[in-house]
Amino acid sequence: MKVLIIEDEKELATSISDYLKTENYLCEFAETFSSAMEKIQSYEYDCILLDLMLPGGDGLKILEKLTRQNKQDGVIIISAKDSVDDKIRGLQLGADDYLPKPFHLSELSARIYSVVRRKQFGNSNTISFNELQVDFLGKEVKVDGKSVPLTKKEFELLQFLIGNKSRVISKIALAEHLSGDMADVLDNSYFVYAHIKNLKKKLAEAGCRDNIKTIYGVGYKFQP
Amino acid sequence: MKGLLSRTLLYYLVLSSAILTLSGPGFYLLMEKLYLDDIDEAILLRRDEFLKNKQPLLKTTDISTWNRFNRDTRILANNSSKTRDKIIQEIFYDEMVPEWEPYRVLYKGIQIQKQPYVLMIRLNLVESQDLIITLTWLYVGGLMILLLVIFFITKIISNRLWQPFYETLKKIEKFNIEQKNAPILSTSNIAEFNKLNAALNKLIGDNMKAYQIQREFTENASHELQTPLAIFQSKLDMLLQQPSLTVEQGEIIQSLYEASGRLSRVNKNLLLLAKIENNQFPEIETIDIVEIMNDVLPYFEEQCLSNNLQIKLNVKAKQLVVQANRGLCEIMINNLILNAVSHNLPNGIIIISLGANKFSVSNPGIKSLDPETIFKRFSKVSPNAHRTGLGLAIVDQICLVHNWRIAYSFEKKIHTFSVTF
């Protein structure tokens, strides 16, 4: 899968690329407005990460061009300017998601995963890991064909873990993902721990093997 | 506190009544002295006239006749002990009226046919005193009328003269540094007021510039921090992927995560504050506070469960409709409830009340917070690392832009924050 990272901050771009590489994403970089324009003209990407503030031009112009050419690339805007206007304009111009900086790579990866899945498997967005079957569209989880009832939070959690398959996700990133704008709250680790525990318990009871590993008390990892 | 004008008039009143009370008797005494001098002169004139024209012709046998026809110029036997050759004041019994009346009197030793006698010349003071009193009253009355007229003229003139000053004052009072526009101070034809307005204009301009620079600095600094923070966080995420990570290293990474999380929250909140101050949330719509509260409650109920807290709802209104920005409203309610969650006592409760135009959140506490600083930035009271010290400052700012009133109280060991819409 091909990802284009349009971002002038080299260090951030390489981190993103390194993180995504593990899951067989092939990343290309564009650091300026003109090189980004060139690349989207000549190639197709599964997902484009677009920073709005670029040397040489406004990132939204790139988005306009993509829409004009009717390209099917998924676009996630990554911006240091957490502005509602930009977000609305970006989404109106055809971006699939908007992620303000600073973000966790796991959050980004989960979003790329869901954008790509949506684009590629629009109608039957289902994935299987051995006996575990997840339907992203129907928000349903099955183990050996039997449905496992999960709460909304537990499903979100599982989706996030799958979007970061084989990589360690920090507890903090999980907490921020689950509580959204309200991550400022108290001690979130217990909150995350409780949800993970419930999810693991439900899957284990349904006969699923333990795919969710705890890493050094720092985070979790989905390793089917 | 008295106004400028009433203070001026008060001084005027005090001073003029002092002048009146002091000048009345003064005038009276002066008049009296002048009159006595006059009378004395008349007495001396009579004496001279008597010595020159009458004395040489008088015989001792004429004395009783003389005294019978002259009431006020008499010749007495030389046995009086009265002061001589000096005009004195004395009272005599007047059989005509009849009462005791004051007189000016001169006693002088004279010789009639070589016999010693005493000449007494006196003049009645009664009529003159009536005159003096009448004059004094006329004077005081005139002065009073004059002062009254001046009083009202001063009042009218002052009112007109100070008009530009009051206008400036009114505009300055309405001015708020968070407004975009400085007040326009009109020019007057009084140099001092023009100078005052010019000085005020300069002061306001400088202040607004400084305020703007400070605001821009916060915003720019927070903006510029976002990218390095993003890099820092992404590197941490990468570090976490190292397969050879030990437990100790994991713990270090965890605390780095916590620090960077806190840093980005502070930064995010500072940016939010700057945006609210810059009016970057102009969309106003009709929203129902009850509805927003019901939306956020499930999240807090979950939080409270894991913290052994209990939420008590005290909703008296079916709906509480306000004109406001939805996003800001949500942030305000979140922050207030969050505040009650994080500063609660173990196994405590949170009381959320909704009235006809009031939303309040209460939680038990140990001692009162300082109501002066509680809404200021970074006025943290608890060492809780998850709080940024900006939550209440944001609430305060949101209330300010919507013209709502936020209040804090501590009664019966309960902290209460209430917003009146």
Coordinates of all heavy atoms in Angstrom, one line a residue, chain B residues 232-295:
Chain B
F232 N 8.3 15.1 18.9 CA 8.7 14.5 20.2 C 7.8 13.3 20.4 O 8.3 12.2 20.7 CB 8.5 15.5 21.3 CG 9.0 15.0 22.6 CD1 10.3 14.9 23.0 CD2 8.0 14.6 23.6 CE1 10.7 14.4 24.2 CE2 8.4 14.2 24.8 CZ 9.8 14.1 25.1
Q233 N 6.5 13.5 20.2 CA 5.6 12.4 20.5 C 5.8 11.2 19.5 O 5.7 10.0 19.9 CB 4.2 12.9 20.4 CG 3.4 12.7 21.7 CD 2.1 13.3 21.7 OE1 1.3 13.2 20.7 NE2 1.7 14.0 22.8
S234 N 6.1 11.5 18.3 CA 6.2 10.5 17.3 C 7.5 9.7 17.6 O 7.5 8.5 17.4 CB 6.3 11.1 15.9 OG 7.5 11.8 15.7
K235 N 8.5 10.4 18.1 CA 9.8 9.7 18.4 C 9.5 8.7 19.6 O 10.1 7.6 19.6 CB 10.9 10.7 18.7 CG 11.3 11.5 17.5 CD 11.9 10.7 16.4 CE 12.1 11.6 15.2 NZ 12.4 10.8 14.0
L236 N 8.7 9.2 20.5 CA 8.4 8.3 21.7 C 7.6 7.1 21.2 O 7.9 6.0 21.6 CB 7.5 9.1 22.7 CG 8.2 10.0 23.7 CD1 7.1 10.6 24.6 CD2 9.1 9.2 24.5
D237 N 6.7 7.3 20.2 CA 6.0 6.2 19.7 C 6.9 5.2 19.0 O 6.7 4.0 19.1 CB 4.9 6.7 18.7 CG 3.7 7.4 19.4 OD1 3.5 7.1 20.5 OD2 3.1 8.2 18.7
M238 N 7.9 5.7 18.4 CA 8.9 4.9 17.7 C 9.8 4.1 18.7 O 10.1 2.9 18.5 CB 9.8 5.7 16.8 CG 9.2 6.2 15.5 SD 8.2 5.0 14.7 CE 9.4 3.8 14.2
L239 N 10.1 4.8 19.8 CA 11.0 4.2 20.8 C 10.2 3.0 21.4 O 10.8 2.0 21.7 CB 11.2 5.3 21.9 CG 12.4 5.1 22.8 CD1 13.7 4.9 22.0 CD2 12.6 6.2 23.8
L240 N 8.9 3.2 21.5 CA 8.1 2.1 22.1 C 8.1 0.8 21.3 O 7.9 -0.2 21.8 CB 6.7 2.7 22.3 CG 5.8 2.0 23.3 CD1 6.4 2.1 24.7 CD2 4.4 2.7 23.3
Q241 N 8.5 1.0 20.0 CA 8.4 -0.2 19.1 C 9.7 -1.0 19.2 O 9.8 -2.1 18.7 CB 8.3 0.3 17.7 CG 7.1 1.2 17.4 CD 5.8 0.7 18.0 OE1 5.5 -0.5 17.9 NE2 5.0 1.7 18.5
Q242 N 10.7 -0.5 19.9 CA 12.0 -1.2 20.0 C 11.7 -2.6 20.7 O 11.2 -2.7 21.8 CB 13.0 -0.4 20.9 CG 13.4 0.9 20.3 CD 14.1 0.8 18.9 OE1 15.0 -0.1 18.8 NE2 13.7 1.6 18.0
P243 N 12.1 -3.7 20.1 CA 11.9 -5.0 20.6 C 12.7 -5.3 21.9 O 12.3 -6.1 22.7 CB 12.2 -6.0 19.5 CG 13.0 -5.2 18.5 CD 12.7 -3.7 18.7
S244 N 13.9 -4.6 22.0 CA 14.8 -4.9 23.1 C 14.5 -4.0 24.4 O 15.3 -3.9 25.3 CB 16.2 -4.6 22.7 OG 16.3 -3.3 22.3
L245 N 13.3 -3.4 24.4 CA 12.9 -2.5 25.5 C 12.8 -3.2 26.8 O 12.2 -4.3 26.9 CB 11.6 -1.9 25.2 CG 11.3 -0.4 25.6 CD1 12.3 0.5 25.0 CD2 9.9 0.0 25.2
T246 N 13.5 -2.6 27.8 CA 13.4 -3.3 29.2 C 12.3 -2.6 30.0 O 11.7 -1.6 29.5 CB 14.7 -3.1 30.0 OG1 14.9 -1.7 30.2 CG2 15.9 -3.6 29.2
V247 N 12.0 -3.2 31.1 CA 10.9 -2.6 31.9 C 11.3 -1.2 32.4 O 10.4 -0.3 32.4 CB 10.6 -3.5 33.2 CG1 9.5 -3.0 34.0 CG2 10.2 -4.9 32.7
E248 N 12.5 -1.0 32.8 CA 13.0 0.3 33.3 C 12.8 1.3 32.2 O 12.3 2.4 32.4 CB 14.4 0.3 33.7 CG 14.7 -0.4 35.1 CD 14.7 -2.0 34.9 OE1 14.9 -2.4 33.8 OE2 14.5 -2.7 35.9
Q249 N 13.3 0.9 31.0 CA 13.1 1.9 29.9 C 11.7 2.2 29.6 O 11.3 3.3 29.3 CB 13.8 1.3 28.6 CG 15.3 1.3 28.7 CD 16.0 0.4 27.7 OE1 15.4 -0.5 27.1 NE2 17.3 0.6 27.5
G250 N 10.9 1.1 29.7 CA 9.4 1.3 29.5 C 8.8 2.4 30.5 O 8.1 3.2 30.1
E251 N 9.3 2.3 31.7 CA 8.8 3.2 32.7 C 9.2 4.7 32.4 O 8.5 5.6 32.5 CB 9.3 2.8 34.1 CG 8.5 1.8 34.7 CD 9.2 1.1 35.9 OE1 10.3 1.6 36.3 OE2 8.6 0.1 36.5
I252 N 10.5 4.8 31.9 CA 11.0 6.1 31.5 C 10.1 6.7 30.4 O 9.7 7.8 30.4 CB 12.5 6.1 31.1 CG1 13.3 5.7 32.3 CG2 12.9 7.4 30.5 CD1 14.8 5.5 32.0
I253 N 9.9 5.8 29.4 CA 9.0 6.2 28.3 C 7.6 6.7 28.7 O 7.1 7.7 28.3 CB 8.9 5.1 27.2 CG1 10.3 4.9 26.6 CG2 7.9 5.5 26.1 CD1 10.3 3.8 25.6
Q254 N 7.1 5.9 29.7 CA 5.8 6.2 30.2 C 5.8 7.6 30.8 O 4.9 8.4 30.6 CB 5.4 5.2 31.3 CG 4.0 5.4 31.9 CD 2.9 5.4 30.9 OE1 3.0 4.8 29.9 NE2 1.8 6.1 31.3
S255 N 6.8 7.9 31.6 CA 6.8 9.3 32.2 C 7.0 10.4 31.2 O 6.5 11.5 31.3 CB 7.7 9.4 33.4 OG 8.9 8.8 33.2
L256 N 7.8 10.0 30.2 CA 8.0 11.0 29.1 C 6.6 11.2 28.4 O 6.3 12.4 28.0 CB 9.0 10.5 28.1 CG 10.5 10.6 28.5 CD1 11.4 10.0 27.4 CD2 10.8 12.1 28.7
Y257 N 5.9 10.2 28.2 CA 4.6 10.3 27.6 C 3.7 11.2 28.4 O 3.0 12.1 27.9 CB 3.9 8.9 27.5 CG 4.0 8.2 26.2 CD1 4.5 7.0 26.1 CD2 3.6 8.8 25.0 CE1 4.7 6.3 24.9 CE2 3.8 8.2 23.8 CZ 4.3 6.9 23.7 OH 4.4 6.3 22.6
E258 N 3.7 11.0 29.7 CA 2.9 11.8 30.6 C 3.3 13.3 30.5 O 2.4 14.2 30.4 CB 3.0 11.3 32.0 CG 1.9 10.2 32.3 CD 2.3 9.4 33.5 OE1 3.1 9.8 34.3 OE2 1.8 8.3 33.5
A259 N 4.6 13.5 30.5 CA 5.1 14.9 30.4 C 4.7 15.5 29.1 O 4.2 16.7 29.0 CB 6.6 15.0 30.6
S260 N 4.8 14.8 28.0 CA 4.5 15.4 26.7 C 3.0 15.6 26.6 O 2.5 16.5 25.9 CB 5.1 14.5 25.6 OG 4.2 13.5 25.2
G261 N 2.2 14.6 27.2 CA 0.8 14.8 27.1 C 0.4 16.0 27.8 O -0.5 16.8 27.3
R262 N 1.0 16.3 29.0 CA 0.6 17.5 29.7 C 1.0 18.7 29.0 O 0.2 19.7 28.9 CB 1.4 17.4 31.1 CG 0.8 18.3 32.1 CD 1.5 18.0 33.4 NE 1.5 19.1 34.3 CZ 2.2 19.1 35.4 NH1 2.9 18.0 35.7 NH2 2.2 20.1 36.2
L263 N 2.2 18.7 28.4 CA 2.7 19.8 27.6 C 1.7 20.1 26.5 O 1.4 21.3 26.2 CB 4.1 19.4 27.0 CG 4.9 20.6 26.5 CD1 5.2 21.6 27.6 CD2 6.3 20.0 26.0
S264 N 1.3 19.1 25.8 CA 0.4 19.4 24.6 C -1.0 19.8 25.1 O -1.6 20.6 24.4 CB 0.3 18.2 23.7 OG -0.1 17.0 24.3
R265 N -1.4 19.4 26.3 CA -2.7 19.8 26.8 C -2.6 21.3 27.2 O -3.5 22.1 26.9 CB -3.1 19.0 28.0 CG -3.8 17.7 27.6 CD -4.6 17.1 28.8 NE -3.7 16.8 29.9 CZ -3.0 15.6 30.0 NH1 -3.2 14.7 29.0 NH2 -2.2 15.4 31.0
V266 N -1.5 21.7 27.9 CA -1.4 23.1 28.2 C -1.4 23.9 27.0 O -2.0 25.0 26.9 CB 0.0 23.3 29.0 CG1 0.3 24.8 29.2 CG2 -0.1 22.7 30.4
N267 N -0.6 23.5 26.0 CA -0.5 24.2 24.7 C -1.8 24.3 24.0 O -2.2 25.4 23.6 CB 0.5 23.4 23.9 CG 1.2 24.3 22.9 OD1 1.5 25.4 23.3 ND2 1.4 23.8 21.7
K268 N -2.6 23.2 24.0 CA -3.9 23.2 23.4 C -4.8 24.2 24.1 O -5.5 24.9 23.4 CB -4.5 21.8 23.5 CG -5.3 21.4 22.3 CD -5.7 19.9 22.4 CE -6.9 19.8 23.2 NZ -7.4 18.4 23.5
N269 N -4.8 24.2 25.4 CA -5.7 25.0 26.2 C -5.3 26.5 26.0 O -6.1 27.4 25.9 CB -5.7 24.7 27.6 CG -6.6 23.4 27.9 OD1 -7.4 23.1 27.1 ND2 -6.3 22.7 29.0
L270 N -4.0 26.8 25.9 CA -3.5 28.2 25.7 C -4.0 28.6 24.4 O -4.5 29.8 24.2 CB -2.0 28.3 25.8 CG -1.4 28.4 27.2 CD1 0.1 28.4 27.1 CD2 -1.9 29.7 27.9
L271 N -3.9 27.8 23.4 CA -4.4 28.1 22.0 C -5.9 28.4 22.0 O -6.4 29.3 21.4 CB -4.1 27.0 21.1 CG -2.9 27.1 20.2 CD1 -2.6 25.9 19.4 CD2 -3.0 28.3 19.3
L272 N -6.6 27.5 22.8 CA -8.0 27.7 22.9 C -8.4 29.0 23.5 O -9.2 29.7 23.0 CB -8.6 26.5 23.7 CG -10.1 26.6 23.9 CD1 -10.9 26.4 22.6 CD2 -10.6 25.5 24.9
L273 N -7.7 29.3 24.6 CA -7.9 30.6 25.2 C -7.7 31.8 24.2 O -8.5 32.7 24.1 CB -7.0 30.8 26.4 CG -7.5 30.4 27.8 CD1 -6.4 30.6 28.8 CD2 -8.7 31.4 28.1
A274 N -6.5 31.7 23.5 CA -6.2 32.7 22.6 C -7.3 32.9 21.5 O -7.7 33.9 21.1 CB -4.9 32.5 21.9
K275 N -7.8 31.7 21.1 CA -8.9 31.7 20.1 C -10.2 32.3 20.6 O -10.8 33.1 19.9 CB -9.1 30.3 19.6 CG -8.1 29.8 18.5 CD -8.5 28.5 18.1 CE -7.4 27.9 17.2 NZ -7.6 26.4 17.1
I276 N -10.5 32.0 21.8 CA -11.7 32.6 22.4 C -11.6 34.1 22.5 O -12.4 34.9 22.1 CB -12.1 32.0 23.8 CG1 -12.2 30.5 23.7 CG2 -13.3 32.6 24.3 CD1 -12.4 29.8 25.0
E277 N -10.4 34.5 23.0 CA -10.1 35.9 23.1 C -10.2 36.6 21.7 O -10.6 37.8 21.6 CB -8.8 36.2 23.7 CG -8.8 35.9 25.2 CD -7.4 35.9 25.8 OE1 -6.4 36.0 25.1 OE2 -7.3 35.8 27.1
N278 N -9.7 35.9 20.7 CA -9.7 36.5 19.4 C -11.0 36.4 18.7 O -11.1 36.7 17.5 CB -8.6 35.9 18.5 CG -7.3 36.3 18.9 OD1 -7.1 37.3 19.6 ND2 -6.3 35.5 18.5
N279 N -12.1 36.0 19.4 CA -13.4 35.8 18.8 C -13.4 34.9 17.6 O -14.0 35.2 16.6 CB -14.0 37.2 18.4 CG -14.5 37.9 19.6 OD1 -15.0 37.2 20.6 ND2 -14.4 39.2 19.6
Q280 N -12.7 33.8 17.7 CA -12.6 32.8 16.6 C -13.7 31.8 16.7 O -13.7 30.8 16.0 CB -11.3 32.2 16.5 CG -10.2 33.2 15.9 CD -8.8 32.7 15.9 OE1 -8.5 31.7 16.6 NE2 -7.9 33.4 15.3
F281 N -14.7 32.1 17.5 CA -15.9 31.2 17.6 C -17.1 32.1 17.4 O -17.9 32.2 18.3 CB -15.9 30.5 19.0 CG -14.8 29.5 19.2 CD1 -13.7 29.9 19.8 CD2 -14.9 28.2 18.8 CE1 -12.6 29.1 20.1 CE2 -13.8 27.3 19.0 CZ -12.7 27.8 19.6
P282 N -17.3 32.6 16.2 CA -18.4 33.6 16.1 C -19.7 33.0 15.9 O -20.7 33.7 16.0 CB -17.9 34.4 14.8 CG -17.0 33.5 14.1 CD -16.5 32.5 15.0
E283 N -19.8 31.7 15.5 CA -21.1 31.1 15.2 C -21.9 31.0 16.5 O -21.6 30.2 17.4 CB -20.9 29.7 14.6 CG -20.1 29.6 13.4 CD -18.6 29.5 13.7 OE1 -18.3 29.3 14.8 OE2 -17.8 29.7 12.7
I284 N -23.0 31.7 16.5 CA -23.9 31.7 17.6 C -25.2 31.0 17.2 O -25.7 31.3 16.1 CB -24.3 33.1 18.1 CG1 -23.0 33.9 18.5 CG2 -25.3 33.1 19.2 CD1 -22.4 33.4 19.8
E285 N -25.6 30.0 18.0 CA -26.9 29.4 17.6 C -27.7 29.2 18.9 O -27.3 29.4 20.0 CB -26.6 28.0 16.9 CG -25.6 27.1 17.7 CD -25.2 25.9 16.9 OE1 -26.1 25.2 16.5 OE2 -24.0 25.7 16.7
T286 N -29.0 28.7 18.7 CA -29.8 28.5 19.8 C -29.5 27.1 20.3 O -29.7 26.1 19.5 CB -31.3 28.6 19.4 OG1 -31.5 29.8 18.7 CG2 -32.2 28.5 20.5
I287 N -29.1 27.0 21.5 CA -28.8 25.6 22.0 C -29.4 25.4 23.4 O -29.7 26.4 24.1 CB -27.3 25.4 22.2 CG1 -26.6 26.6 22.9 CG2 -26.6 25.2 20.8 CD1 -25.2 26.3 23.2
D288 N -29.6 24.2 23.7 CA -30.2 23.8 25.0 C -29.2 23.2 25.9 O -28.6 22.2 25.6 CB -31.3 22.8 24.7 CG -32.1 22.4 25.9 OD1 -31.8 23.0 27.0 OD2 -33.0 21.5 25.8
I289 N -29.0 23.9 27.0 CA -28.0 23.4 28.0 C -28.3 22.0 28.5 O -27.4 21.2 28.7 CB -27.9 24.4 29.1 CG1 -27.4 25.8 28.6 CG2 -26.9 24.0 30.2 CD1 -26.0 26.0 28.2
V290 N -29.6 21.8 28.7 CA -30.0 20.5 29.2 C -29.5 19.4 28.3 O -29.0 18.3 28.7 CB -31.5 20.4 29.4 CG1 -32.0 19.1 29.9 CG2 -31.9 21.5 30.4
E291 N -29.7 19.6 27.0 CA -29.4 18.7 26.0 C -27.9 18.4 26.0 O -27.4 17.2 26.0 CB -29.8 19.2 24.6 CG -29.7 18.3 23.5 CD -29.9 19.0 22.1 OE1 -30.9 19.7 22.0 OE2 -29.1 18.9 21.3
I292 N -27.1 19.5 26.0 CA -25.6 19.3 26.1 C -25.2 18.5 27.3 O -24.4 17.6 27.2 CB -24.9 20.7 26.0 CG1 -25.1 21.4 24.7 CG2 -23.4 20.6 26.3 CD1 -24.4 22.7 24.5
M293 N -25.8 18.9 28.4 CA -25.4 18.2 29.6 C -25.7 16.7 29.5 O -24.9 15.8 29.9 CB -26.2 18.8 30.8 CG -25.6 18.5 32.1 SD -26.8 19.0 33.4 CE -28.1 17.9 33.1
N294 N -26.9 16.3 29.0 CA -27.2 14.9 28.8 C -26.3 14.2 27.9 O -26.0 13.0 28.0 CB -28.7 14.8 28.3 CG -29.7 15.1 29.4 OD1 -29.3 15.0 30.6 ND2 -30.8 15.6 29.0
D295 N -25.7 15.0 26.9 CA -24.7 14.4 26.0 C -23.4 14.0 26.7 O -22.8 13.0 26.4 CB -24.4 15.3 24.8 CG -25.6 15.4 23.8 OD1 -26.4 14.5 23.9 OD2 -25.5 16.3 23.0

